[in-house]
Amino acid sequence: MMMSNSSHSNIYLEELNNAKVQLLIPNTVLAFVFLVTGVVGNGLVLFVYRFKLKSKSDDRYFIPCLSLVDMIACSIGATYAISMNFNPFNFRSDLICKLVWFLHQSISFSSALLLLAIAVQRYIKVSRLVNSSMSLRSKRMTIISILIGSTVISVPCLVLYGKDELLLKNENRTITGYNCGAVPNVNQTFLFSYSVILLLMCLSGIFAVIILYSLILRTIFKHESFRKRSFKRPNKHSLNDNEQHNSGNTIQTEISNITDDDYSVDKFEPNTTQIDSTTINNQQGTMQGGPVIKRKNSTVPFVIQTRRKSKFFRNISRFTHKHRFSVMFFLITILFCISYLPRIALMIIESVIANFWDNLTDPEYVIALCFYRGHLLNTVVNPIIYLIFDTDFRSSCQRLCCSNE
């Protein structure tokens, strides 16, 4: 009779587990996509930056390290997510659960601290401090310190997380299921304190990065404004002095200066170019005593406004290209913070509310789980950001693809 009850319990547990597996199929597919794209993308970044790029600049030093960390984080996180989705109520290995939590937490902290180190490096380089760059020894010591620090911070995971028993109800029966999460006999105050410390560290890191990149942008804008003042165009009074000798040439010179510097017309604006040529011909006719053609409903103000907008976007494009590494790392940092904050918030909630995940409905559970594992998206997107901003990396990838064809 005892064996019969045990076998029935196992059957019911398997049925509940299979029902949950079917519910989590979309999340499993998403985790599998993250696993493939994250490993392939970051593997490509690591290979190209390490072996294909001839330019070993100071700007790119931390990129292979960051891609390696992202690849490991994506491998561990996505594999753990897939295994949990296939065993939501039947995860029985306490050791594997503790190791996965510890490794995943330490790798995540390594990635965060690397982004902070990159922000410090960008500030030193842009602000011309300490010979404008970090020494090789300083970079290596930074990486070692990051690995040690992230390992120490993640040690409590070995105590706080492990195999958790769940009480499941099915047809007036109470069945014991097994999951990987916060262990039931742990001190809840300790768990809550650890989650709050993680949140405070995350917010402090975000605050430090915002300050550093604000200082970087301020320094860059100062350098740009100084450069523009240094290469300011010649004064118009010098052009007016030459009008007594050759008035026609002076007008052409002024018009060409305005066209090239203030309202530079792109090649894809034929209507604008036609209006400008008409305006120039009218001005030349006036100087030569010829008739002046007057047009009603002039579109010159609209053209000037369009040119100014075009010039604004071109200036942004030039700025982004010139300072592309600072913009690139800033964007990676912002995406990292956005993707990790929901996970930390849910960790605090589950430490405060007992049986938080068990009380969710099926749609709420799926949505909360997507936010909980949404940080994996950061490891997938980073290679795309490198491809967009680093022209040398993009060219190397193109040559690599062409050689394989």
Side-chain angles (χ1 to χ4, degrees), residues 205-261:
I206 293 173
F207 186 67
V209 166
I210 290 175
I211 292 177
L212 286 171
Y213 278 106
S214 299
L215 294 174
I216 290 171
L217 288 176
R218 188 184 69 172
T219 305
I220 289 174
F221 282 125
K222 282 185 178 180
H223 292 168
E224 289 293 323
S225 60
F226 177 77
R227 185 184 64 82
K228 288 181 180 180
R229 287 196 301 268
S230 301
F231 295 97
K232 194 174 182 181
R233 65 181 183 184
N235 196 334
K236 290 185 177 181
H237 293 295
S238 62
L239 297 175
N240 292 331
D241 293 338
N242 295 328
E243 287 183 357
Q244 298 176 355
H245 301 286
N246 192 347
S247 59
N249 292 335
T250 305
I251 293 174
Q252 291 289 345
T253 304
E254 290 180 354
I255 293 171
S256 64
N257 284 339
I258 294 173
T259 304
D260 293 337
D261 189 34

Side-chain angles (χ1 to χ4, degrees), residues 327-341:
V327 176
M328 179 181 73
F329 287 125
F330 177 70
L331 183 59
I332 290 173
T333 305
I334 292 297
L335 291 176
F336 178 87
C337 297
I338 292 174
S339 63
Y340 262 94
L341 280 177

Side-chain angles (χ1 to χ4, degrees), residues 28 34 56 61 199 202 206 294 332 385:
T28 304
F34 284 167
K56 306 294 183 181
Y61 182 84
L199 178 62
C202 182
I206 293 173
K294 295 183 179 180
I332 290 173
I385 296 177

Side-chain angles (χ1 to χ4, degrees), residues 6-20 88-92 166 168 170 175-178:
S6 176
S7 61
H8 280 301
S9 298
N10 290 332
I11 292 173
Y12 290 140
L13 180 61
E14 193 69 24
E15 290 177 355
L16 291 175
N17 191 81
N18 292 337
K20 201 73 169 181
F89 297 139
N90 201 19
F91 196 99
R92 297 174 181 268
L166 305 172
L168 307 173
N170 182 284
I175 306 171
T176 303
Y178 304 94

Side-chain angles (χ1 to χ4, degrees), residues 25-42:
I25 285 177
N27 190 274
T28 304
V29 173
L30 185 62
F32 183 77
V33 172
F34 284 167
L35 176 62
V36 174
T37 54
V39 171
V40 172
N42 287 288

